[in-house]
Amino acid sequence: MSQLDDLKTAIKSRLGELECVIGWEQGYDPLHATPLFIRSEADLDRLIIGPLAVHNLATYLTGWKGKKVGVVVKGCDSRSVIELMNEKLVSRDDVVIFGLCCDGVVSQRKIRAALPADPGFVESVEIGADSLKVTVAGQAATLRLADVQADKCLVCDTPDAIVSDFLIGKAHTPAPAPSLKCQDEFEAKSDAEKFAFWQETMGRCIRCYACRNACPMCVCRDYCIATSRDPLWVSQENLPSENMMFQMIHVSHLAGRCTECGECERACPVDIPLMLLRRYMNKQVRDVFKHEAGKALDQTPPLLTFKVEEERINERGW
Amino acid sequence: MLKVAYYPGCSGQGTSLEYDTSTRAVCKALDVELVDIPDWSCCGSSPAHTVNHVLSAALSARNLAQVETMGMTKAATPCPSCLTNLRTAAHKMDDPEFKDKVNALLDVPCRNAVDTQSVLQVLAENVDPELIKGKVVKPLTGIKIACYYGCIMNRPPEVMRFDHHENPMAMDNLMALLGAEVVPFPLKVECCGASYGIPRGDIVHRLSGKLLDAGRDVGADAIVTACPLCQMNLDLRQGQINDALRENFRIPVFYYTQLLGYALGIDRAELGFEKLCVDPRLALGRIKQPQQAM
Amino acid sequence: MPAQDVRELRIVGFLCNWCSYGGADTAGVGRFTQPTDLRIIRVPCSGRIDPLFIVRALMNGADGVLVSGCHPRDCHYAEGNFYARRRLEMLKRFLPITGIDERRFEYTWVSASEGQRWQHVVTEFTRRIHELGPAPSFNPKSDVDWNALAVKASQGQGCPCHGSIQA
Amino acid sequence: MRIGVFICHCGSNIAGTVDCPSVAATALTYPDVVFSTDTMYACSEPGQDAIIQAVKDKNLDGVVVASCTPRMHEQTFRRAVERAGLNRYMFEMANIREHVSWIGKTKDLNTGKAAELVRMAVEKLRRNRPLVAKRFETVKRVLVIGGGVAGIQAALDCADGGQEVVLVEREQSIGGKMAKLDKTFPTVDCSSCVLGPKMVDIAQHPNITLYTCSEVESVGGYVGNFQVTVRRKSTYVDWTKCTGCGLCVEKCPSRKHPDPFNENLCNAPSINIPFPQAIPKKAAINASSCLMLTKGKCGLCAKVCPVKCIDFEQKDELVNVDVGAIVVATGYDLFDWHKYPQYGEGRYKDVITSMQYERLLSASGPTGGHIKRPSDGKEPKNVVFIQCVGSRDKSVDRPYCSGFCCMYTAKQAILTKDHIPDSQSYVFYMDIRSPGKMYDEFTRRAMEEYGAQYVRGRVAMIYPKGDKLVVRGADTLAGTQVEVPADLVVLAVGAESAKGAVQLGEKLRVAPDQYGFFVESHPKLKPVETNTAGVFLAGACQGPKDIPASVGQGSAAASKVLGLLSKAMLESDPAVSRVNPARCVGCGKCIQTCPFGAIKEIQDRFGNPKAEVIDTVCQGCGICTVTCPQGAIQLEHFTDNQILAEVNALCPPKMFANFE
């Protein structure tokens, strides 16, 4: 039986007791998936998984607080679920986790880049073992999956759901790359270059808050301090400084909580590489607190606790 | 079979020949192979380290380097004084700066990768007591023994890292294992006067005298040591002490390896009882013959 | 270093009320002369200092931000500076990726009795900031003296768009 | 809003290097500032009156004073604006003396800085709102934890002050360490004779409820309203019936377990009354050694008891008490000297602790007050005392001085001579620490009148010689080694924090220091207060103390309690955190980080979890405000917007960069 069939049987077995099960279905065209909220077995027919099922569905969990739901998660998504549980934002008893062993997902951005022109509407997509055949306006183009894989998959060390009620597919032995080229290159730049870079990108930011809304950890929702008057942290002016301020708020609120699912960057309509900030902050958190969000249950986010003697924080000579 | 590099030390070639021979004999008997360090040299004892620490350490380091060239990481010596120097040198060389100073003086640099132990520690920690028990042919039943460790074999604890530094038990346990009655000796780690025997005999007379006195108090037939210098002060100088303190001690002072060898039934010639100044026969006579002991 | 001889730069200080603010007072009582660039904001505890205050100041064009609290273990509220230490360390380590020179932000511990130490900290930090020079601004350049306007605006005069920042 | 600004000259302190009039002029251009002036001495009476007058004339609703540090005069001016009819929190201060005029040389730079600090204060004030202190009632009852002399004193003083007192003691009888002592220094009067009457008072005082064999299980609530649960451990004796006749104690056949009251010098019967003056004078069974409870046979005590109060079925009992204040008097424990190898690690019977020696000296002790050494019951002639055993020694992590050892050693040397006239005492010491009334004279007497030989130096080793112990040490004054043959060696063991102090501290939210002693609010000015309002310290639980100091602290703590509970209502500082339930998502992060347990989770009327601040417990640190991602919990008077306003005042947001 295929992974999808196994998943469907698993969901069937629990659907009865659940408000709904969150999965994926085809979106406006065969290339794009969109979240699917399965309430009846009929809905199950539309369920899809695979490299196109990119969304981190954990993002929807807090919206169902108090109700018992199921969620289909890839390894990376499961980290978000775990972190939400560790922060008591979601209760384990309220969630049935259908964990996948994931072979990696695509980056729509890379696909767009790989295709001769912006595809617009895609007629059909054939997913092969390691290739992707995309047909646009009668023209078929075959892309190597490896070339269009999302960055996070290249460095992913948790392809299989860490916590789950059902673990579907066959487990991987991950061989993640030590680091991402783009990240290393950017970090190597001079302060001036980096500053100029953010000045430019933040000038581009339209503060649509898509990055925030897509983030599974941004649970403040309507009460985000970036869009409130009391407290009023950011002005309405669309200035690079104000946009950067908003991004800094997002980063600092994610410090020690971000699970690097990449949703923020994926959701950005103006292609701001937000993961540069996320990965860097996570690196700092790893170095100082030996902490990785969502890698294990019952962890305390490092900024919600302390040690009287901090091994890795040296008072600077003053 | 356990294999360790062996550093006899200078006294082992002279005043404590019997310690060296008996040590080799018992180790052989207990399947501990002692491999002599080729071209070993002075450990840098008193004369050197009172004058120049780096030089003294270099002398030790040279020997450690030799062991490294043998491709071994564990060395053993019967002499606590050598042990102290070898271990202290290694301890100091943990500081890279000091290590460089030392290696500057050596042809073959020392990596400081050797752990030196006393033969006693090797026997106590690496030889199964049951094995020893099994090999005992003449149990020491009937003899009362006071174990005297000397002042430096266990101290300073952070350098020597062996046994309790105020109340060591390794020898006590070993002797008890051989069937001897070990009396609680309060001055186990007291100073015997050491090398003051030459410049200030009176000091040695007082200090060693106190040890013999304590031995007598606890009713010991004999004192057992693990240190050539201690043994010499207590044994060779016992006559002087008697004269100086108007005493008449007659307490034989053995090396623990001699009694161990005796119990294991090793050939007397290798144990060298005849080298002792205070006649040990009376004490040895207290040992019940095996058939009676059974 | 006498900051007096050059144009003042904008340095914001966040000090906890119980130790460091007292330390600054002690320095004053002892007449320990310091550069005048620093402006001190008083908060009850270093645990009250949101790293985002510092970011806000930097985004507003502060040239340097200095935070000081009670020495670890001496917090008036027992644990405030322990939390502060983690939060501030994270911010300081994060700044480089943004291209903002992390030397523009420093945090340290000064007790109410350490007037001299406070003088040293202020003098050293001010010197450092002057060596770094004025901080670049995120916002585009302009030939108009917007700063003057902004100052006036923040004083509640003209430029309605700035009313909002003052909330 | 109508704000008035007052720039203080402070004589020439400020005016010397700040152009006050021009600062005042600049201030007038700030938003909402309708009045601004400079004044010679703002804090002086005319200065304050001027402020009050201005508030009335210009009907101001906020005041900024630029003068000295708020740590100096904030309260003064707050009272002033209050007298003017404003809320005390509608006031801000700009520190232009300590932070400007006294540290900056150049007048124009100082003037500019002063003006900006004033602008900062104005911007803050514009976001202030009147805050009113919460008033709440207090429970007129006190919990005293620990029945040593400090706790006894605290309990008696509180009770005499008219408060109900609940006294909780872990042991079977109150009296603590002092009850074990034979005599006390420097008066050499009988310890139990001075303590006894106080213990009786505890038993008889109408306001005092005594729970012994009891421990504090849990503590909830806050100052004025603590809810405490006490565990009364089962004694297997119904104390309502027990008359303390002691028949059971005589008859008990099981006398195997060591007697803790006598420092394990002898054994005690399994059912026992620890000592003649015990309060309460009731018997209790030691479950671990009682034949009936361990083997299920015997029950002799039950047979002989005339009032039939033995109850082998008895279980622990939990008692709930509401109290308004808590006094912690859990005392200290003795250092475990076995950590020192040089003293024989227990191999030599005649090396004993000072407390064991007290029991040997005591008429109610195991030897009936005759000094007999443990090994062979012989009367010692040479007694060697070794001081600083577990004091002033980094090597055993006890770098502090225990304070009373020098004195009790001198006392014991004197008593030794009294008991055995032909005895000779030797004392190895590091320094003699005898500050206190008649203290140094006392140690002198020990040396001069009683001929105790004081040797300045540490002891290197103790070893047996014949039936004696040879004590070898350094005589640092003579610069030689000394060896003293001793019949008995008494170790002056130091004090360390009581076992379980740390755990109790967690329940009470009182932090212990690195050695387990409780930390006071302020080392000089608040010695018996803690950082938890309503919890006070008495005696050695705060640090080693002798009897007079402990008694003094007991009374001090009591006076704090009486002062607290004398108020009909308590007022809480209104500058505390406040939750905006609309913004709160109930994630509980604030609850997690609050050091004072001042935030609790509640359910709103839709059953959603929300945080709620207990005003009376909140100390106003603001950790929670930074923790909360939504800014839903704001520290009043230091809200995000107030601090942001200050930041924006100092660094006006620039719409466009300019580098000129």
Side-chain angles (χ1 to χ4, degrees):
Chain A
M1 249 173 40
S2 78
Q3 196 182 9
L4 181 59
D5 301 333
D6 294 345
L7 177 59
K8 286 182 175 170
T9 0
I11 294 178
K12 272 207 199 77
S13 69
R14 300 294 297 272
L15 192 54
E17 65 192 84
L18 300 174
E19 201 72 26
C20 81
V21 174
I22 315 170
W24 303 272
E25 66 178 318
Q26 179 185 322
Y28 66 85
D29 74 6
L31 183 60
H32 295 84
T34 190
L36 166 67
F37 295 83
I38 304 159
R39 290 185 170 74
S40 70
E41 296 201 0
D43 300 335
L44 268 174
D45 308 339
R46 289 161 28 220
L47 179 67
I48 64 162
I49 54 174
L52 298 181
V54 288
H55 312 66
N56 178 354
L57 303 172
T59 308
Y60 296 96
L61 286 180
T62 45
W64 291 85
K65 208 160 187 211
K67 300 206 173 70
K68 194 165 164 94
V69 298
V71 65
V72 187
V73 294
K74 309 181 287 293
C76 47
D77 310 340
S78 73
R79 287 182 60 187
S80 309
V81 180
I82 290 172
E83 187 61 20
L84 287 167
M85 288 171 180
N86 288 346
E87 295 181 31
K88 302 175 192 59
L89 294 161
V90 165
S91 147
R92 182 70 181 88
D93 315 337
D94 292 352
V95 187
V96 176
I97 304 172
F98 300 92
L100 298 177
C101 299
C102 163
D103 301 313
V105 295
V106 300
S107 153
Q108 293 290 353
R109 202 159 286 136
K110 285 185 184 175
I111 292 177
R112 234 182 295 131
L115 291 173
D118 189 310
F121 184 88
V122 172
E123 289 153 17
S124 75
V125 175
E126 289 171 43
I127 301 164
D130 50 10
S131 71
L132 197 66
K133 187 157 169 237
V134 183
T135 317
V136 187
Q139 304 287 0
T142 309
L143 314 171
R144 285 186 56 248
L145 270 174
D147 301 337
V148 294
Q149 206 165 37
D151 283 342
K152 66 173 176 182
C153 302
L154 303 177
V155 291
C156 172
D157 60 351
T158 58
D160 310 338
I162 300 172
V163 171
S164 60
D165 300 281
F166 301 86
L167 185 59
I168 290 146
K170 85 178 215 311
H172 298 74
T173 43
S179 66
L180 281 174
K181 195 152 144 295
C182 59
Q183 185 77 19
D184 300 342
E185 281 169 359
F186 185 79
E187 288 176 20
K189 288 181 196 287
S190 74
D191 276 356
E193 291 169 308
K194 292 181 210 157
F195 192 82
F197 175 83
W198 292 117
Q199 230 180 346
E200 186 277 324
T201 44
M202 287 304 142
R204 221 159 65 211
C205 170
I206 55 171
R207 249 195 290 159
C208 60
Y209 301 114
C211 49
R212 178 192 72 189
N213 300 347
C215 175
M217 288 303 129
C218 282
V219 295
C220 304
R221 301 290 178 216
D222 303 353
Y223 301 111
C224 172
I225 61 168
T227 49
S228 78
R229 288 187 151 272
D230 183 2
L232 183 114
W233 284 88
V234 193
S235 88
Q236 289 86 333
E237 284 135 313
N238 185 6
L239 293 171
S241 62
E242 296 307 301
N243 300 345
M244 188 64 178
M245 186 67 206
F246 161 67
Q247 290 302 346
M248 292 296 284
I249 290 175
H250 199 173
V251 168
S252 92
H253 283 181
L254 282 175
R257 306 174 57 232
C258 172
T259 57
E260 269 183 59
C261 67
E263 288 295 272
C264 47
E265 187 170 298
R266 185 181 63 81
C268 181
V270 291
D271 292 356
I272 298 175
L274 292 164
M275 289 306 286
L276 289 175
L277 302 175
R278 304 278 179 274
R279 291 191 208 99
Y280 191 74
M281 177 56 98
N282 283 1
K283 187 153 122 227
Q284 306 314 314
V285 172
R286 265 201 311 280
D287 291 354
V288 179
F289 304 119
K290 305 206 199 94
H291 178 93
E292 287 186 276
K295 284 268 177 94
L297 282 165
D298 307 318
Q299 284 176 314
T300 311
L303 294 190
L304 296 185
T305 175
F306 65 84
K307 283 194 189 128
V308 174
E309 303 292 345
E310 298 280 5
E311 298 91 354
R312 315 286 210 71
I313 301 179
N314 312 325
E315 320 275 313
R316 295 171 182 77
W318 272 90
Chain B
M1 169 150 179
L2 180 64
K3 205 167 149 191
V4 288
Y6 183 62
Y7 182 87
C10 53
S11 40
Q13 309 300 294
T15 52
S16 67
L17 206 55
E18 70 274 37
Y19 191 18
D20 182 56
T21 52
S22 55
T23 300
R24 294 172 183 275
V26 295
C27 286
K28 189 145 169 281
L30 296 175
D31 309 335
V32 177
E33 184 183 356
L34 301 177
V35 189
D36 279 62
I37 301 171
D39 185 30
W40 60 272
S41 56
C42 172
C43 65
S45 180
S46 315
H49 68 69
T50 45
V51 188
N52 180 332
H53 284 211
V54 179
L55 181 54
S56 157
L59 284 159
S60 278
R62 182 185 173 279
N63 293 297
L64 296 176
Q66 292 289 60
V67 177
E68 286 162 6
T69 50
M70 295 163 72
M72 300 181 74
T73 58
K74 192 165 183 176
T77 176
C79 170
S81 173
C82 301
L83 182 67
T84 304
N85 281 290
L86 292 162
R87 285 194 73 88
T88 309
H91 183 70
K92 283 193 180 148
M93 281 194 292
D94 289 345
D95 166 16
E97 216 172 287
F98 187 86
K99 188 172 166 189
D100 297 342
K101 281 200 204 130
V102 168
N103 280 334
L105 299 171
L106 299 177
D107 311 336
V108 188
C110 173
R111 284 184 287 111
N112 194 16
V114 177
D115 177 31
T116 317
Q117 297 182 343
S118 66
V119 173
L120 178 61
Q121 182 174 4
V122 173
L123 297 182
E125 291 177 357
N126 300 314
V127 180
D128 174 7
E130 288 314 309
L131 175 99
I132 300 179
K133 226 172 176 168
K135 290 185 186 256
V136 171
V137 295
K138 288 192 237 153
L140 303 182
T141 331
I143 188 173
K144 288 189 184 161
I145 289 175
C147 294
Y148 172 55
Y149 295 73
C151 54
I152 54 175
M153 189 161 66
N154 312 84
R155 299 192 291 192
E158 57 274 24
V159 177
M160 305 315 279
R161 297 170 186 266
F162 171 47
D163 213 342
H164 192 300
H165 61 284
E166 292 288 342
N167 182 35
M169 289 301 289
M171 242 193 295
D172 296 51
N173 299 337
L174 183 58
M175 288 300 135
L177 195 64
L178 304 177
E181 177 182 348
V182 180
V183 292
F185 187 58
L187 302 184
K188 283 178 177 179
V189 292
E190 282 302 282
C191 177
C192 65
S195 51
Y196 268 104
I198 291 108
R200 290 283 307 275
D202 57 320
I203 292 183
V204 172
H205 298 154
R206 202 173 77 246
L207 295 179
S208 290
K210 182 184 283 167
L211 293 168
L212 293 165
D213 185 30
R216 183 174 54 191
D217 275 3
V218 295
D221 302 323
I223 294 176
V224 177
T225 72
C227 170
L229 199 47
C230 301
Q231 198 275 346
M232 182 167 70
N233 281 335
L234 292 172
D235 182 43
L236 173 70
R237 298 185 191 280
Q238 201 168 107
Q240 299 174 13
I241 293 167
N242 284 336
D243 299 346
L245 307 181
R246 305 261 179 288
E247 282 283 4
N248 55 347
F249 297 114
R250 273 199 182 52
I251 307 178
V253 184
F254 295 104
Y255 290 104
Y256 74 96
T257 47
Q258 291 179 296
L259 288 187
L260 176 52
Y262 178 92
L264 297 178
I266 289 166
D267 173 7
R268 292 276 191 128
E270 294 183 78
L271 302 181
F273 286 119
E274 70 284 356
K275 288 212 173 294
L276 302 178
C277 302
V278 177
D279 188 334
R281 277 172 300 185
L282 183 60
L284 291 175
R286 296 192 182 280
I287 300 175
K288 302 200 188 70
Q289 288 316 306
Q291 59 274 24
Q292 296 157 287
M294 292 304 153
Chain C
M1 73 130 249
Q4 283 83 342
D5 48 30
V6 293
R7 173 172 171 276
E8 257 192 2
L9 291 178
R10 181 43 37 104
I11 303 177
V12 181
F14 293 92
L15 273 62
C16 83
N17 174 56
W18 301 97
C19 293
S20 295
Y21 196 91
D25 288 348
T26 312
V29 174
R31 308 296 199 279
F32 301 145
T33 313
Q34 303 156 36
T36 51
D37 310 45
L38 176 73
R39 310 279 188 264
I40 292 172
I41 296 176
R42 174 174 164 238
V43 293
C45 173
S46 52
R48 173 64 187 97
I49 299 168
D50 193 324
L52 291 169
F53 287 137
I54 295 143
V55 176
R56 183 72 263 180
L58 292 169
M59 288 301 145
N60 286 11
D63 303 304
V65 180
L66 176 63
V67 169
S68 183
C70 306
H71 289 276
R73 293 180 186 280
D74 293 355
C75 177
H76 177 81
Y77 303 101
E79 298 176 356
N81 51 5
F82 290 138
Y83 287 103
R85 184 166 57 184
R86 289 194 158 202
R87 296 163 176 167
L88 298 168
E89 179 71 12
M90 276 300 109
L91 175 66
K92 188 162 172 62
R93 285 166 165 267
F94 181 74
L95 283 177
I97 198 76
T98 64
I100 298 171
D101 194 322
E102 49 97 14
R103 285 171 298 174
R104 292 190 183 277
F105 160 59
E106 197 52 78
Y107 73 96
T108 183
W109 319 116
V110 174
S111 82
S113 58
E114 295 175 319
Q116 226 126 18
R117 177 175 154 79
W118 176 248
Q119 177 191 36
H120 169 75
V121 169
V122 174
T123 316
E124 280 312 303
F125 189 68
T126 313
R127 174 194 282 140
R128 180 199 284 183
I129 295 306
H130 275 265
E131 279 164 7
L132 292 171
S137 164
F138 256 92
N139 299 340
K141 293 184 186 167
S142 156
D143 43 6
V144 192
D145 180 357
W146 288 96
N147 193 40
L149 178 60
V151 173
K152 288 182 75 215
S154 66
Q155 295 170 4
Q157 306 159 21
C159 190
C161 64
H162 266 77
S164 59
I165 283 211
Q166 299 301 313
Chain D
M1 186 168 187
R2 299 174 60 80
I3 295 174
V5 177
F6 301 82
I7 313 297
C8 177
H9 288 237
C10 194
S12 65
N13 279 310
I14 295 170
T17 55
V18 174
D19 181 349
C20 299
S22 88
V23 175
T26 322
L28 211 43
T29 68
Y30 296 156
D32 295 352
V33 175
V34 294
F35 175 76
S36 177
T37 178
D38 54 321
T39 152
M40 187 49 71
Y41 286 105
C43 58
S44 68
E45 201 167 352
Q48 295 190 42
D49 295 343
I51 295 173
I52 294 167
Q53 201 51 46
V55 172
K56 296 211 166 94
D57 298 348
K58 308 275 186 297
N59 65 65
L60 308 172
D61 43 24
V63 171
V64 169
V65 173
S67 60
C68 51
T69 168
R71 286 162 59 93
M72 172 88 88
H73 275 315
E74 192 169 48
Q75 291 309 323
T76 318
F77 292 118
R78 279 183 171 174
R79 280 192 292 272
V81 296
E82 225 162 17
R83 287 206 299 284
L86 298 183
N87 178 283
R88 62 207 324 261
Y89 288 91
M90 298 307 286
F91 164 79
E92 284 297 326
M93 223 169 152
N95 180 349
I96 62 168
R97 191 177 75 176
E98 283 80 354
H99 291 192
V100 180
S101 68
W102 277 352
I103 58 167
K105 285 210 179 64
T106 331
K107 190 159 190 170
D108 55 341
L109 287 177
N110 284 355
T111 308
K113 183 175 178 180
E116 287 192 1
L117 294 184
V118 172
R119 183 162 97 219
M120 204 171 89
V122 170
E123 290 297 345
K124 164 93 170 29
L125 178 58
R126 291 176 69 204
R127 287 155 186 81
N128 286 13
R129 61 185 205 92
L131 301 177
V132 187
K134 273 239 170 61
R135 292 164 58 77
F136 58 96
E137 289 185 347
T138 60
V139 180
K140 306 292 180 212
R141 192 179 297 113
V142 189
L143 171 72
V144 178
I145 309 173
V149 66
I152 288 173
Q153 189 63 39
L156 288 174
D157 290 355
C158 290
D160 293 341
Q163 300 295 341
E164 275 184 50
V165 177
V166 175
L167 176 55
V168 173
E169 166 59 48
R170 176 161 58 183
E171 303 303 327
Q172 187 180 346
S173 165
I174 58 171
K177 297 277 185 298
M178 185 176 176
K180 294 184 175 189
L181 304 181
D182 175 39
K183 303 263 190 313
T184 61
F185 60 81
T187 46
V188 198
D189 47 2
C190 161
S191 182
S192 49
C193 311
V194 266
L195 184 63
K198 280 187 177 292
M199 290 166 65
V200 175
D201 291 351
I202 292 282
Q204 295 175 345
H205 204 297
N207 288 358
I208 298 180
T209 317
L210 175 59
Y211 295 135
T212 61
C213 291
S214 302
E215 290 191 62
V216 171
E217 186 86 354
S218 68
V219 180
Y222 50 88
V223 57
N225 299 276
F226 292 104
Q227 294 87 36
V228 182
T229 309
V230 177
R231 173 178 293 275
R232 301 193 64 184
K233 286 171 278 173
S234 65
T235 59
Y236 306 99
V237 175
D238 179 349
W239 282 7
T240 57
K241 296 200 203 128
C242 177
T243 59
C245 67
L247 209 57
C248 51
V249 180
E250 282 171 35
K251 292 281 184 288
C252 177
S254 145
R255 294 164 183 274
K256 293 251 161 21
H257 78 280
D259 178 354
F261 185 80
N262 281 316
E263 294 289 308
N264 305 340
L265 283 167
C266 58
N267 287 346
S270 291
I271 185 165
N272 196 20
I273 299 171
F275 57 103
Q277 306 87 343
I279 297 289
K281 201 168 195 308
K282 308 279 183 191
I285 293 179
N286 175 318
S288 63
S289 66
C290 168
L291 295 171
M292 190 64 184
L293 290 169
T294 52
K295 300 201 171 55
K297 46 175 164 318
C298 180
L300 199 55
C301 45
K303 294 188 192 72
V304 299
C305 177
V307 293
K308 299 287 165 245
C309 64
I310 310 294
D311 170 12
F312 292 111
E313 300 306 307
Q314 197 181 67
K315 297 266 167 294
D316 289 10
E317 178 191 0
L318 292 178
V319 185
N320 297 319
V321 277
D322 293 355
V323 298
I326 299 175
V327 176
V328 187
T330 48
Y332 67 97
D333 270 320
L334 291 169
F335 174 81
D336 173 15
W337 61 275
H338 293 85
K339 289 179 186 143
Y340 283 107
Q342 59 264 46
Y343 302 142
E345 295 173 314
R347 286 194 300 280
Y348 314 131
K349 275 192 165 151
D350 294 328
V351 178
I352 63 172
T353 70
S354 45
M355 188 56 93
Q356 288 175 316
Y357 196 55
E358 287 289 339
R359 295 314 300 155
L360 289 181
L361 291 166
S362 166
S364 66
T367 56
H370 304 297
I371 306 177
K372 295 178 183 165
R373 60 182 205 172
S375 63
D376 52 13
K378 273 210 203 109
E379 185 177 74
K381 294 289 175 242
N382 277 8
V383 181
V384 172
F385 298 88
I386 303 174
Q387 289 193 182
C388 296
V389 177
S391 301
R392 302 176 61 193
D393 186 347
K394 279 203 186 70
S395 73
V396 292
D397 192 34
R398 294 286 180 273
Y400 54 83
C401 173
S402 297
F404 44 54
C405 319
C406 289
M407 293 308 296
Y408 74 59
T409 304
K411 174 196 72 184
Q412 292 180 338
I414 289 175
L415 292 172
T416 309
K417 197 74 172 174
D418 286 343
H419 280 68
I420 312 167
D422 61 340
S423 68
Q424 173 63 56
S425 298
Y426 300 84
V427 180
F428 283 88
Y429 71 103
M430 297 209 285
D431 304 285
I432 298 298
R433 304 231 165 145
S434 54
K437 209 171 179 181
M438 295 301 292
Y439 280 18
D440 206 57
E441 299 88 319
F442 185 72
T443 53
R444 288 253 150 250
R445 274 175 59 210
M447 305 176 202
E448 289 155 9
E449 291 174 36
Y450 291 81
Q453 288 253 18
Y454 272 66
V455 184
R456 188 177 189 281
R458 300 290 282 163
V459 167
M461 77 179 295
I462 300 172
Y463 66 91
K465 180 137 181 38
D467 72 341
K468 284 186 181 305
L469 292 166
V470 180
V471 180
R472 175 195 299 166
D475 182 337
T476 56
L477 297 182
T480 63
Q481 186 187 65
V482 290
E483 287 203 336
V484 183
D487 301 303
L488 183 66
V489 179
V490 180
L491 304 176
V493 286
E496 60 184 22
S497 60
K499 291 171 189 50
V502 176
Q503 293 80 332
L504 180 62
E506 284 164 6
K507 292 173 188 164
L508 294 163
R509 292 193 307 276
V510 175
D513 66 16
Q514 67 201 103
Y515 305 112
F517 293 109
F518 294 127
V519 178
E520 65 278 19
S521 245
H522 187 287
K524 305 275 175 299
L525 304 177
K526 292 181 169 183
V528 296
E529 293 91 328
T530 69
N531 281 338
T532 307
V535 178
F536 304 94
L537 304 175
C541 66
Q542 177 261 351
K545 269 174 210 57
D546 62 7
I547 293 166
S550 302
V551 172
Q553 270 208 333
S555 294
S559 73
K560 289 288 170 188
V561 170
L562 293 173
L564 180 75
L565 299 186
S566 64
K567 302 193 191 73
M569 302 280 265
L570 285 184
E571 271 201 354
S572 65
D573 182 346
V576 295
S577 290
R578 191 170 47 89
V579 177
N580 172 352
R583 301 189 67 82
C584 176
V585 301
C587 64
K589 292 188 172 73
C590 49
I591 302 175
Q592 203 170 343
T593 52
C594 177
F596 308 99
I599 312 174
K600 61 175 194 251
E601 182 176 309
I602 55 156
Q603 307 252 314
D604 68 7
R605 63 180 203 284
F606 309 106
N608 304 319
K610 300 281 177 188
E612 185 175 84
V613 175
I614 309 162
D615 301 32
T616 44
V617 182
C618 178
Q619 306 278 315
C621 63
I623 293 174
C624 53
T625 311
V626 183
T627 307
C628 178
Q630 310 90 271
I633 185 165
Q634 291 288 334
L635 175 58
E636 288 285 9
H637 209 58
F638 291 96
T639 63
D640 286 343
N641 276 358
Q642 284 170 321
I643 297 172
L644 283 167
E646 294 179 282
V647 173
N648 291 327
L650 291 180
C651 323
K654 305 199 198 86
M655 289 186 65
F656 289 84
N658 59 329
F659 295 99
E660 79 277 6

